[in-house]
Amino acid sequence: MERLLHYVWKYRLYPTTSLLTTDGRTVSVIDPGTPNTDAGPDFFNAKMKIDGTLWAGCVEIHDKASDWLLHRHDKDKAYDAVVLHIVEVSDCIVYRMNGEVIPQMELAVPESVVRNIDWLLHHDSSLPCAGYIPQMEPVHITSWLGALLGERLERKTTDIFRLLDQYAGDWNEVFYITLTRNFGFGVNNDIFERLAKSLPLRYIQKQRGSSSQVEAMLFGQAGMLNEAIDCPYYRLLQREYQFLRYKFGLTPLDCSQFRDLRTRPVNFPCLKLAQLAAVWMQYDTLFSVILTAGSIGEIKQYLRVTPSAYWETHYHFRCASVIKEKTVGENSLCILLINTVVPILFAYGVRNKQPEYCERAIRILENLPPEKNTIVSVFSRAGIKVCHAGDSQALIQLKREYCEKKKCLYCRIGFRYLKRGIPSL
């Protein structure tokens, strides 16, 4: 309950009239203060009038007044700056170290807030606020989506910075790892990233003169060349990988970690690795090329590759198909831009203090169609208009970081839902 009391105080989710201290003095809140995430009182720089006298200082919040003594605040000088002690139950008087009485106020969490938060947190629905969303002003939704997109880009930037630290600031290597990961298209992302980390880009760059050797390194390192398949192309890759494995001291992964089940043939790991090989056959340092690209179409063209001729009749080494060019499709290109190009450009702009790259990353999102997935569909049905990929990325952030974690107290939609029914707000 104390956490909820913090929330109610911070966002003023209480009737603002008739606030009184426990000794009957009127309280008028000017500023509830700034939440303190370190040791010391819960809020600092708060301002209020008590019986017409202006007070500025800290605010401490407890379920019961006696928690002040339980937590030994009466022996801690940091709490002498408290000008108002907020409690749900006033079961004692509290003092500063010099013996001065600290103003104290009982503040009950409004019944409507308790009812609404109970609904949000315990209702048997993946989106309990869905019925309320259409009632919100569009400007509030738009503002929240913008903030959520910022959060998602910040999280992805942190991931990229972590890789940069691991790889001595090598942007080309980090781009290679990130691109390879996203060629896993969701279900195989983690194992594709492990593949990239086990096969440095410089090894691939050294063999770019031979398409069979580049393919052999990727397939062999993925553990996909251990079968006895009667096919000249497959046997060639096996011979090439045995040579390259010895040359570079490689240890292949376990191919059973790559998943085909419930994956469309166009996303089979074998085909994706063949397409990835075609990318690195075409470009030595793709990251540098993308940095200077003038348009979304130009970037797509760099990634719109076609694998070697063998893959015109295969989706898998064991799975022949009718003759069909296996070029990376439009939907896949958009996903690669959203999950690879945009975060890398944004992170590059942040790290090098060049905001034009951050702005460019956001423009790319605003000019790509929204992603099609269950998360976007749920929010669309609830009435949120999804106009571009920036919106769909924001909704993914909302679902994963707020809805799934039941952090309704920190969601702007949840905040407005909680405010309903509270007088004088």
Side-chain angles (χ1 to χ4, degrees), residues 8-57:
V8 166
W9 172 256
K10 177 181 177 180
Y11 293 109
R12 305 190 190 206
L13 298 180
Y14 50 81
T16 55
T17 58
S18 304
L19 293 177
L20 298 172
T21 61
T22 52
D23 58 2
R25 290 177 288 169
T26 60
V27 178
S28 176
V29 181
I30 299 170
D31 187 336
T34 304
N36 178 21
T37 57
D38 297 317
D42 295 320
F43 292 81
F44 56 88
N45 293 334
K47 292 188 178 95
M48 66 208 68
K49 284 185 178 180
I50 300 178
D51 255 3
T53 301
L54 180 64
W55 291 75

Side-chain angles (χ1 to χ4, degrees), residues 169-391:
D170 187 338
W171 284 97
N172 285 306
E173 190 73 19
V174 170
F175 180 82
Y176 158 68
I177 292 170
T178 306
L179 180 65
T180 303
R181 173 183 175 80
N182 290 310
F183 257 85
F185 289 91
V187 68
N188 284 304
N189 277 12
D190 290 342
I191 188 61
F192 266 60
E193 181 174 333
R194 283 186 56 202
L195 170 62
K197 288 180 175 179
S198 74
L199 181 64
L201 177 60
R202 64 182 181 276
Y203 293 177
I204 294 175
Q205 290 170 327
K206 287 179 180 179
Q207 310 305 133
R208 282 184 65 235
S210 168
S211 62
S212 63
Q213 289 192 347
V214 172
E215 290 181 351
M217 271 200 288
L218 285 166
F219 288 122
Q221 197 59 15
M224 295 179 181
L225 298 178
N226 297 323
E227 298 183 61
I229 297 177
D230 187 18
C231 167
Y233 170 72
Y234 189 81
R235 291 197 298 271
L236 170 64
L237 295 182
Q238 285 180 317
R239 291 194 300 272
E240 294 281 27
Y241 181 66
Q242 287 307 312
F243 164 72
L244 294 166
R245 179 180 180 181
Y246 176 78
K247 177 179 179 179
F248 294 112
L250 298 172
T251 301
L253 303 178
D254 179 358
C255 68
S256 67
Q257 297 179 62
F258 292 86
R259 290 187 282 174
D260 291 345
L261 190 64
R262 292 189 295 276
T263 301
R264 295 171 60 213
V266 293
N267 284 332
F268 278 178
C270 280
L271 179 57
K272 290 298 141 189
L273 288 181
Q275 291 172 340
L276 199 56
V279 170
W280 297 115
M281 276 300 301
Q282 191 166 337
Y283 303 102
D284 188 20
T285 55
L286 182 55
F287 173 67
S288 303
V289 175
I290 284 177
L291 277 182
T292 59
S295 67
I296 292 176
E298 189 177 341
I299 297 174
K300 284 182 178 180
Q301 202 56 41
Y302 298 144
L303 298 169
R304 190 179 279 113
V305 294
T306 302
S308 58
Y310 173 86
W311 296 99
E312 290 181 1
T313 56
H314 289 80
Y315 286 105
H316 194 286
F317 288 120
R318 300 185 307 273
C319 181
S321 73
V322 296
I323 296 177
K324 182 180 179 182
E325 193 176 67
K326 304 300 195 310
T327 304
V328 178
E330 183 65 22
N331 184 58
S332 295
L333 290 173
C334 290
I335 291 172
L336 292 173
L337 262 68
I338 291 167
N339 294 319
T340 304
V341 174
V342 165
I344 283 281
L345 285 177
F346 195 88
Y348 186 83
V350 172
R351 175 58 64 92
N352 295 288
K353 296 181 172 57
Q354 293 180 275
E356 60 270 24
Y357 288 102
C358 300
E359 293 163 6
R360 186 171 154 210
I362 293 172
R363 281 199 305 273
I364 290 174
L365 288 176
E366 291 174 344
N367 284 280
L368 288 175
E371 296 147 278
K372 295 179 181 179
N373 53 47
T374 55
I375 292 176
V376 174
S377 297
V378 166
F379 284 105
S380 294
R381 288 195 298 269
I384 292 181
K385 188 176 181 181
V386 188
C387 300
H388 48 67
D391 290 339

Side-chain angles (χ1 to χ4, degrees), residues 396-412:
I396 292 170
Q397 178 74 7
L398 176 57
K399 178 65 174 175
R400 291 180 177 168
E401 297 301 322
Y402 293 85
C403 302
E404 291 177 3
K405 296 179 179 180
K406 291 293 185 181
K407 294 175 69 174
C408 303
L409 287 174
Y410 307 97
C411 170
R412 295 188 193 178

Side-chain angles (χ1 to χ4, degrees), residues 84-227:
L84 184 64
H85 187 214
I86 296 172
V87 298
E88 189 173 23
V89 178
S90 177
D91 58 352
C92 72
I93 299 171
V94 298
Y95 302 87
R96 297 189 178 90
M97 289 184 69
N98 64 4
E100 291 178 351
V101 175
I102 296 176
Q104 189 162 270
M105 181 177 75
E106 284 189 336
L107 184 65
V109 176
E111 184 181 337
S112 61
V113 172
V114 174
R115 185 173 59 251
N116 290 341
I117 193 63
D118 185 66
W119 170 268
L120 290 175
L121 296 182
H122 301 108
H123 190 261
D124 187 20
S125 168
S126 61
L127 192 64
C129 61
Y132 172 69
I133 288 174
Q135 302 173 37
M136 288 186 64
E137 292 289 337
V139 66
H140 297 310
I141 295 290
T142 301
S143 174
W144 185 214
L145 291 181
L148 288 165
L149 177 58
E151 288 181 12
R152 186 152 180 82
L153 288 172
E154 183 178 349
R155 196 271 295 165
K156 290 188 174 185
T157 295
T158 300
D159 292 343
I160 290 169
F161 286 170
R162 192 178 296 115
L163 283 174
L164 278 172
D165 291 340
Q166 292 174 15
Y167 291 91
D170 187 338
W171 284 97
N172 285 306
E173 190 73 19
V174 170
F175 180 82
Y176 158 68
I177 292 170
T178 306
L179 180 65
T180 303
R181 173 183 175 80
N182 290 310
F183 257 85
F185 289 91
V187 68
N188 284 304
N189 277 12
D190 290 342
I191 188 61
F192 266 60
E193 181 174 333
R194 283 186 56 202
L195 170 62
K197 288 180 175 179
S198 74
L199 181 64
L201 177 60
R202 64 182 181 276
Y203 293 177
I204 294 175
Q205 290 170 327
K206 287 179 180 179
Q207 310 305 133
R208 282 184 65 235
S210 168
S211 62
S212 63
Q213 289 192 347
V214 172
E215 290 181 351
M217 271 200 288
L218 285 166
F219 288 122
Q221 197 59 15
M224 295 179 181
L225 298 178
N226 297 323
E227 298 183 61

